[in-house]
Amino acid sequence: MSATTETLGARGASRGARRRIGVGVIGFGWLGQAHSRSLLRIPTLFADRDFDTELVVCGDTLPERRDDAVRSFGFARSTGDWRAVVDDPSVDVVFIAAPNMLHVQLVEAAAAAGKHVFCEKPVGGTPEQTVRAEKAARDAGVISGVGYNYRWAPLVRYARQLIADGTLGEITNYRGRFFSMYGSDPLGVLSWRFLVDQAGYGVTTDLMSHSVDLAHMLLGPIGRVVGTTETFITERPVPGAAGSHYGRGRPEDPKAAVTNEDYAGMLCEFASGVRGTFEASRSMVGPESQMAFEVYGTKGALGWNLEKLNELQLYLVEDEAHTGYRTVFGGDRFPYHGNFVPGSANGIGFEDLVVIEDYEFCRSVAAGREHEPGFADAVDWVSVQAALLRSAGSGHWEDVVSLRED
Ligand SMILES: NC(=O)c1ccc[n+]([C@@H]2O[C@H](COP(=O)([O-])OP(=O)(O)OC[C@H]3O[C@@H](n4cnc5c(N)ncnc54)[C@H](O)[C@@H]3O)[C@@H](O)[C@H]2O)c1
C-alpha cells in the first residue's frame, strides 16, 4: 500500500496531505494512452482531489509504445513483460487496457499481488472470464473499476436525475444502440477485435456492453431477452504488427477469417416492466459513433448520442404550448462540466469522460471504498450477454440469470 505524501505546488485551496497512488498501465494503445494522459490532466482540472498519481511503469509488447510511454508521458520505466508491472512494489493501481482475452489473467495476477485494478470494459472476452475476474478482485479485497466511461458524461448524469426524480413520469420504453463504422470497410484490417481468441465475442462484448451498462445505471436490471447476432464481413486483410481496428489494408493483402459477430440486436423486458430494444453494429454504413439511448415516459422523453455529447434532447408533455423536443446544451451547471470549461455550450470531449472516470476511481482508491462501476457491474452486463447469446442460438426468449456470485 502507498504512503501518504505532502503535495508540492498544488493548485487551488486544498493543499492538505494527498494520498500517493503509484500507477502501472498494461496495454499502451488507444485506451492505455487515454488513461495515462487523463491521469496527467487530473491535477490541473480537479484542485480538490485528495490523491496524486505517479506514472510508475508501462507494459506493452511493442517497443515503440514503451519508448513513447517514458519519453512523452513521463513513466519512470517501461517493460515488455506485464508481470513486471503487477509485481512492482511502487505500483498501487494497475490500469488494464490490453486486448480483452488477456484481461482475466492480468486481473488475477494484479489482484493476487494486492493491487487495485481498473480494467477496461468489458473485463474479459467471455462471460465466464468476467465472473472469474470479479471473484479474483473480491477474494483479494482490492478495489475494482471498469471503463464504462459514458456513465460519466455530464448530460447522462442529468438524464439519470430526470428519470429518478419523476420528471419523465413513469418510464414505458427504452432504446439503446451503439452503431460504429470502425468495421464497415471490408479492407479494414483484421485487428484483435475481429478475432475470438483475442477479443472474445465481437460487438456484444465491444459495443453492446456499453449500451446495456448505461441502461442498467438508468433503469435497473433486465429480466429477459430475445436476440440475434450476425457476421456480415467474414474475412479481412491481415494487419502489420501495430495495426488498430481503424487501420486499412490493400486489396492484394492476404486475408483471414473474422471469428466473432459484427452485429447484435435484442428486444428485452426490464425487471421494472419497462420494454426495451438494443442494437450494436461495427460494420454498418451511416452512423459513425452512435453510442446513444432514448428514454420514453408518460410525462416526457429524452435522448442522448455520443456524436453530440454536449446535447440532450428533451420533450416535456407539460409544455403544451411548445410541443416537440428541445435541445439542452451541456454547460457548467451539470456535473463535472465546469471542471473543463466554464459557461454553457462550450463543449467537452470523449477523452474528458476518461478523465472523470479516472478521477472518480482514484478517489475511491484514496478513500479505500468500493467503486461503481466495478467488476460486479461488469458481471451484470455479461449476465445479459449470456442470455442474448443463448437466445441467438435457441431463437426463443431467454431469462437473464445473474452470474453474480455474492
Ligand atoms: N471505454 C472505451 O470507450 C473503450 C474504447 C476503446 C477500447 N476500450 C477497451 O480498451 C482495451 C484496449 O483497447 P484499445 O482500443 O486501446 O486497443 P489497442 O489495440 O489500441 O491497444 C492494445 C495494446 O495492448 C498491447 N498488448 C497486446 N498484448 C499485450 C501483452 N501481452 N502485454 C502488454 N501489452 C499488450 C498492444 O501492443 C497495444 O498497444 C480493450 O479492452 C477495449 O475493449 C475501451
Side-chain angles (χ1 to χ4, degrees):
M1 289 299 202
S2 61
T4 301
T5 56
E6 288 294 319
T7 304
L8 301 174
R11 185 174 71 88
S14 172
R15 288 168 178 262
R18 290 191 174 124
R19 166 87 184 266
R20 173 199 172 274
I21 299 177
V23 171
V25 173
I26 303 177
F28 202 59
W30 179 12
L31 261 286
Q33 292 178 32
H35 284 294
S36 305
R37 211 164 23 241
S38 295
L39 293 167
L40 290 171
R41 290 177 67 205
I42 285 173
T44 63
L45 295 168
F46 291 91
D48 62 350
R49 71 199 177 282
D50 52 6
F51 61 86
D52 273 316
T53 58
E54 189 182 319
L55 298 182
V56 176
V57 55
C58 174
D60 199 290
T61 41
L62 296 174
E64 62 273 23
R65 293 199 172 160
R66 297 201 294 272
D67 288 351
D68 199 34
V70 173
R71 279 190 288 108
S72 306
F73 286 72
F75 277 87
R77 48 192 171 275
S78 69
T79 173
D81 177 5
W82 60 260
R83 283 178 188 78
V85 177
V86 301
D87 290 341
D88 193 312
S90 53
V91 166
D92 303 299
V93 171
V94 177
F95 278 74
I96 296 173
N100 303 337
M101 288 298 266
L102 290 171
H103 289 175
V104 67
Q105 61 177 305
L106 303 177
V107 169
E108 286 176 340
K115 315 294 186 186
H116 304 300
V117 193
F118 184 98
C119 184
E120 258 311 326
K121 42 60 61 173
V123 189
T126 65
E128 297 72 22
Q129 291 184 355
T130 311
V131 170
R132 256 176 65 192
E134 191 277 335
K135 183 173 178 351
R138 186 157 38 89
D139 286 353
V142 299
I143 298 164
S144 68
V146 56
Y148 284 127
N149 41 316
Y150 303 112
R151 283 187 178 223
W152 300 105
L155 287 173
V156 171
R157 310 298 284 187
Y158 184 53
R160 180 165 80 158
Q161 183 190 322
L162 292 173
I163 294 166
D165 70 15
T167 303
L168 303 186
E170 189 184 334
I171 307 303
T172 55
N173 52 305
Y174 184 94
R175 292 177 63 202
R177 65 184 180 282
F178 201 150
F179 289 153
S180 172
M181 275 180 61
Y182 75 74
S184 63
D185 183 347
L187 287 180
V189 295
L190 189 72
S191 74
W192 63 263
R193 274 183 170 75
F194 299 96
L195 298 169
V196 71
D197 60 334
Q198 294 183 46
Y201 290 102
V203 284
T204 56
T205 283
D206 196 25
L207 301 180
M208 198 181 271
S209 54
H210 275 299
S211 283
V212 171
D213 174 72
L214 211 55
H216 279 158
M217 183 186 85
L218 296 172
L219 294 180
I222 292 170
R224 64 178 196 144
V225 307
V226 58
T228 182
T229 62
E230 181 58 295
T231 305
F232 290 109
I233 299 175
T234 54
E235 57 175 23
R236 294 178 175 278
V238 177
S244 95
H245 59 310
Y246 290 109
R248 190 165 194 268
R250 294 165 305 177
E252 62 273 24
D253 286 345
K255 293 192 172 64
V258 172
T259 51
N260 55 23
E261 76 284 356
D262 284 334
Y263 170 88
M266 69 178 182
L267 180 64
C268 73
E269 295 176 2
F270 287 79
S272 63
V274 172
R275 285 351 192 214
T277 62
F278 290 87
E279 279 188 291
S281 173
R282 63 189 181 193
S283 61
M284 70 197 298
V285 170
E288 299 200 356
S289 197
Q290 281 191 15
M291 161 62 206
F293 64 90
E294 283 111 40
V295 190
Y296 302 92
T298 52
K299 293 186 187 168
L302 59 77
W304 181 84
N305 177 356
L306 173 64
E307 288 178 351
K308 296 181 177 178
L309 93 83
N310 292 287
E311 296 179 16
L312 184 77
Q313 298 301 315
L314 181 64
Y315 185 105
L316 294 175
V317 170
E318 68 183 13
D319 192 1
E320 290 175 10
H322 310 99
T323 61
Y325 279 88
R326 73 188 75 178
T327 300
V328 178
F329 288 124
D332 60 11
R333 63 195 183 283
F334 299 113
Y336 308 109
H337 195 113
N339 288 82
F340 297 88
V341 275
S344 187
N346 296 319
I348 64 170
F350 171 88
E351 208 164 289
D352 295 332
L353 308 186
V354 180
V355 175
I356 299 167
E357 79 175 348
D358 289 348
Y359 166 70
E360 287 292 349
F361 181 67
C362 290
R363 275 185 74 199
S364 296
V365 168
R369 61 167 181 250
E370 207 171 310
H371 182 72
E372 194 179 323
F375 291 176
D377 300 283
V379 171
D380 288 343
W381 149 245
V382 296
S383 304
V384 176
Q385 182 185 28
L388 163 62
L389 296 169
R390 282 199 305 278
S391 173
S394 70
H396 298 124
W397 282 91
E398 296 284 348
D399 290 337
V400 175
V401 179
S402 176
L403 300 174
R404 277 201 193 209
E405 289 189 344
D406 53 9

